[in-house]
Amino acid sequence: MTSPAERPPGQRAGSRTPGRALIVGTGLIGGSLGMALRARGWHVSGTDADAARGAEALAMGALDEVGSDPAADVAFLATPVGVLATVAHEVLAASSNPSLVVTDVGGVKAPVVAAVGDARFVGGHPMAGSEQVGLKGADPDLFVGATWVLTPTPTTDADAYSRLQAVVTSLGADVVALTPADHDRLVAVVSHVPHLVAATLMNAAAQGAVQDAALLRLAAGGFRDMTRVAAGHPGIWPDVCTDNAEAIVAALDRLLGDLSTVREQVATADRGALLDELERASAARRNLPARAVRPEHLSVVRVPVPDREGVLAEITTLAAALGVNISDIEIAHSAEGPRGVLLLVVASGDATALAEAVDARGYHSQVSELA
Amino acid sequence: MTSPAERPPGQRAGSRTPGRALIVGTGLIGGSLGMALRARGWHVSGTDADAARGAEALAMGALDEVGSDPAADVAFLATPVGVLATVAHEVLAASSNPSLVVTDVGGVKAPVVAAVGDARFVGGHPMAGSEQVGLKGADPDLFVGATWVLTPTPTTDADAYSRLQAVVTSLGADVVALTPADHDRLVAVVSHVPHLVAATLMNAAAQGAVQDAALLRLAAGGFRDMTRVAAGHPGIWPDVCTDNAEAIVAALDRLLGDLSTVREQVATADRGALLDELERASAARRNLPARAVRPEHLSVVRVPVPDREGVLAEITTLAAALGVNISDIEIAHSAEGPRGVLLLVVASGDATALAEAVDARGYHSQVSELA
């Protein structure tokens, strides 16, 4: 295995020799994945519970063939969450490839990751495409610049994770490693609760319009922006709300408290507090990056690690907690004993801070710049 | 005065001979108005408390000249709300034109309309351009397809209103007539409360990001859409929240109740109620028209009316309550006595329903189609 620093310039993980991919569920995400992988030289097989949709994916160029593939190197499961663990076990059991890694694309991670419970399964959540519905919207560039969460656990196979991270990165996505529980808690704040709020605002306006026909004619761009997400996918939300109930309730309680504070500021004409609230929000929104920042230079953090469970999840989720974006990760195993070297390519964020945090946990890391 | 039916085809109110316009406050809205009016042949004078900004508006082609204009036919006041009543009185007092009509462009109407209290002042609120800041974003097409609320009251001069409606319609906007109180109540629901919610969501996420650096990397398109309005204009919100406190508190209380219901549905895993909630929102959002519907044909409702105060506000706000879009309005005064005929050109909505509602109030109207 070559270290990132030894590769020719420009050759990153994404340009490793592609292999064979399997996609189960060829809707918007599955179809987009098939197109993106084929464009990068992968052989892509795929199946769908709806045979017509599998055939359509083939006709659209999202698949090389319809059917399963025991030799697949990577399997993306884009099925309804209710059948996901069963499908994962089937794919793992049918595989003839010892280096298979399996992932999914669902919006809630802890229940699925616990239900599958296999070292070669890594939970995933590409944060793209949630508003369009169906295979017709499939797009090979859907993941370019998108955040894609992977959720390693202490039992995740580090090599499997490393291969999956390379594939996902090669599609143009920025991988963020989080524990399944952290993922679920954070998406409750930035996705699930905002969606429920959008639906609630839309329903209140629609109900008000029964009394006041003019109401929706006053709905300008801001209201349209705020309620846009409510247009899509009602069918997935009972599952999302059930699977992530605890985090959603906590985030909703926080929001209810915050809105009650604003209500008091309005009721008491507390102009200073209102201005402060709105100035902070304005500054924060203007600082929200439009896209993931593309790296100008890369750093490498080398961490000698014991060859044991949990190291990968510990260090990758530590990086995410520090805002450090790992664009590539490799494990150089030692031939001589139960140790290896973890190589983390840092695309953005403070590589030195990561190294210090890693060392504070008892490791001895080194940082270098990658030309 | 010609009735709309007697005009040549295609000649609508907007193509009346333009006259002289005055703009006080040449920011985004004032500058856009100047450009739009000049493009339609108006002579536009303008002033700004910031002399440099007035000069810039002239240089950009938004004005024919810097300065006031006692001969103006229409004056648009786009000043901060705190000085608006004073400016309105000054403009009215300085006018040498008995047919002057004065309007404003602020986001809350009842306090301003009450403070000015003149029959030739009609409150206005163009629902466009709220996110951009400053004269540099001025655009002559800013109002094309936008909803523009006018707020006649029982003491509004009907001819002044009619002339203003014609000017606003000629800029491409769709006029909705509402009482000042109804305007304020409805914008609390579709604009003010959504804005406060966007700011609250943004602040909660920004605060969460202090603990979890990865949080904002998970903010995908839906979150960006929902918080976009929070980026703009913090400075106007203390005024808006003070001037419209009662309606905002009522709408916030309603939202807090609705969100508490959703919270219980999540906490108790009430999948049926959640699905119903999200399906209703999805259907309502998909039915929200992207733009005002352009009329395929026009109807005219003729209403003989006594020449007295209150008739205009009564009938135009009745039309808005019925969802009827009045694209032109004229008052044909009788030379023989204290009566006249109100001509309402209906661009969309049920003209017959309007006529029936008008008749239910003791009038005797007629409906005809306009070729």
Side-chain angles (χ1 to χ4, degrees):
Chain A
M1 182 177 213
T2 58
S3 85
E6 289 156 10
R7 287 188 199 132
Q11 193 186 348
R12 302 259 310 279
S15 52
R16 290 177 196 188
T17 311
R20 301 178 69 86
L22 170 64
I23 292 169
V24 183
T26 57
L28 169 68
I29 299 287
S32 299
L33 271 168
M35 291 176 179
L37 289 164
R38 291 191 73 220
R40 287 161 181 82
W42 288 75
H43 179 276
V44 182
S45 300
T47 62
D48 198 284
D50 174 356
R53 196 162 71 157
E56 193 186 343
L58 182 69
M60 284 174 66
L63 302 176
D64 289 292
E65 57 183 310
V66 172
S68 197
D69 182 1
D73 301 287
V74 59
F76 292 92
L77 311 185
T79 67
V81 67
V83 299
L84 206 134
T86 306
V87 171
H89 291 136
E90 283 169 5
V91 168
L92 286 160
S95 173
S96 60
N97 183 341
S99 66
L100 170 69
V101 57
V102 181
T103 187
D104 77 318
V105 301
V108 185
K109 298 270 62 84
V112 160
V113 171
V116 178
D118 191 290
R120 293 167 295 163
F121 179 83
V122 182
H125 181 197
M127 307 206 59
S130 61
E131 284 161 56
Q132 302 101 316
V133 179
L135 179 57
K136 289 202 193 330
D139 174 359
D141 294 325
L142 187 64
F143 311 107
V144 174
T147 293
W148 190 315
V149 179
L150 295 179
T151 60
T153 71
T155 59
T156 298
D157 180 281
D159 286 314
Y161 179 87
S162 163
R163 289 193 300 277
L164 179 62
Q165 152 118 17
V167 176
V168 168
T169 302
S170 78
L171 304 182
D174 292 305
V175 171
V176 174
L178 293 170
T179 68
D182 279 346
H183 167 274
D184 294 352
R185 186 170 52 81
L186 299 184
V187 292
V189 174
V190 292
S191 171
H192 300 165
V193 163
H195 193 110
L196 293 172
V197 170
T200 305
L201 287 170
M202 188 65 240
N203 282 335
Q207 204 169 327
V210 175
Q211 288 279 317
D212 293 292
L215 187 137
L216 292 178
R217 292 177 67 192
L218 307 195
F223 183 82
R224 290 166 195 280
D225 279 352
M226 287 201 68
T227 54
R228 186 166 295 121
V229 290
H233 279 328
I236 68 167
W237 285 93
D239 279 342
V240 168
C241 290
T242 309
D243 292 348
N244 203 24
E246 194 180 331
I248 292 174
V249 167
L252 269 173
D253 282 342
R254 162 79 187 271
L255 178 67
L256 286 164
D258 290 348
L259 283 176
S260 297
T261 302
V262 172
R263 184 231 186 257
E264 286 312 299
Q265 289 165 354
V266 176
T268 60
D270 188 345
R271 299 172 62 95
L274 284 164
L275 185 61
D276 176 61
E277 191 91 24
L278 289 150
E279 279 180 342
R280 280 191 294 118
S282 177
R285 182 60 182 79
R286 281 184 274 107
N287 286 334
L288 192 62
R291 291 203 152 259
V293 179
R294 288 280 141 203
E296 300 220 339
H297 71 275
L298 302 173
S299 307
V300 183
V301 180
R302 284 178 174 73
V303 192
V305 293
D307 212 357
R308 64 161 165 80
E309 289 185 342
V311 168
L312 177 90
E314 179 184 8
I315 293 178
T316 55
T317 60
L318 188 62
L322 290 166
V324 170
N325 181 6
I326 305 292
S327 70
D328 194 9
I329 187 166
E330 300 191 18
I331 301 95
H333 297 277
S334 166
E336 295 152 37
R339 292 190 65 82
V341 178
L342 198 61
L343 303 169
L344 304 158
V345 181
V346 174
S348 67
D350 188 338
T352 305
L354 173 61
E356 287 170 0
V358 165
D359 290 355
R361 301 199 170 204
Y363 300 95
H364 300 282
S365 62
Q366 289 184 307
V367 181
S368 59
E369 297 298 308
L370 191 59
Chain B
M1 181 178 213
T2 59
S3 85
E6 290 156 9
R7 284 189 202 134
Q11 192 184 349
R12 302 262 307 282
S15 50
R16 289 177 196 189
T17 311
R20 300 178 69 88
L22 170 64
I23 292 169
V24 183
T26 57
L28 170 69
I29 299 288
S32 298
L33 272 168
M35 290 176 180
L37 289 164
R38 291 190 74 221
R40 287 160 181 82
W42 289 75
H43 179 276
V44 182
S45 300
T47 62
D48 197 284
D50 174 356
R53 197 161 71 158
E56 193 186 344
L58 181 70
M60 284 174 65
L63 302 176
D64 288 292
E65 57 183 311
V66 172
S68 198
D69 182 0
D73 301 287
V74 59
F76 291 92
L77 312 184
T79 68
V81 67
V83 300
L84 206 134
T86 306
V87 172
H89 291 136
E90 283 170 5
V91 168
L92 286 160
S95 173
S96 61
N97 183 342
S99 67
L100 170 68
V101 57
V102 181
T103 188
D104 76 319
V105 301
V108 185
K109 298 270 60 84
V112 160
V113 170
V116 178
D118 190 289
R120 293 166 296 164
F121 178 83
V122 182
H125 180 196
M127 307 205 59
S130 61
E131 285 161 55
Q132 302 99 318
V133 179
L135 179 57
K136 289 201 194 330
D139 174 359
D141 293 325
L142 187 63
F143 310 107
V144 174
T147 293
W148 191 314
V149 178
L150 295 179
T151 59
T153 70
T155 58
T156 299
D157 179 281
D159 285 315
Y161 179 87
S162 163
R163 289 193 300 278
L164 179 61
Q165 152 119 17
V167 175
V168 168
T169 302
S170 79
L171 303 181
D174 292 305
V175 171
V176 174
L178 293 171
T179 68
D182 279 346
H183 168 273
D184 293 352
R185 186 169 53 80
L186 299 184
V187 293
V189 174
V190 292
S191 171
H192 301 165
V193 163
H195 192 109
L196 293 172
V197 170
T200 304
L201 287 171
M202 188 66 241
N203 282 336
Q207 204 169 326
V210 175
Q211 288 280 318
D212 293 292
L215 187 137
L216 292 179
R217 292 178 66 193
L218 307 195
F223 183 82
R224 290 166 194 281
D225 278 351
M226 287 201 69
T227 55
R228 187 165 295 120
V229 291
H233 279 329
I236 67 166
W237 286 94
D239 279 342
V240 168
C241 291
T242 309
D243 291 349
N244 203 25
E246 195 181 330
I248 291 174
V249 167
L252 269 173
D253 283 340
R254 162 79 188 271
L255 178 67
L256 286 164
D258 290 347
L259 284 175
S260 297
T261 301
V262 171
R263 184 233 186 257
E264 285 313 298
Q265 289 164 355
V266 176
T268 60
D270 187 345
R271 300 171 63 94
L274 285 164
L275 185 60
D276 175 62
E277 191 91 26
L278 289 149
E279 278 180 343
R280 280 191 295 117
S282 177
R285 183 58 183 78
R286 281 184 274 110
N287 286 333
L288 192 63
R291 291 203 153 259
V293 179
R294 288 280 142 202
E296 299 222 339
H297 70 275
L298 303 172
S299 307
V300 182
V301 179
R302 285 178 171 74
V303 192
V305 292
D307 214 357
R308 65 163 165 77
E309 289 185 340
V311 168
L312 177 90
E314 179 184 7
I315 292 177
T316 56
T317 59
L318 188 61
L322 290 167
V324 170
N325 181 6
I326 305 290
S327 70
D328 195 9
I329 187 166
E330 299 192 18
I331 301 95
H333 297 278
S334 164
E336 295 153 34
R339 293 190 63 82
V341 177
L342 199 61
L343 302 170
L344 304 158
V345 181
V346 174
S348 67
D350 188 338
T352 305
L354 173 60
E356 287 170 1
V358 165
D359 290 355
R361 300 199 171 203
Y363 300 97
H364 300 283
S365 62
Q366 288 184 307
V367 181
S368 58
E369 297 299 308
L370 192 59

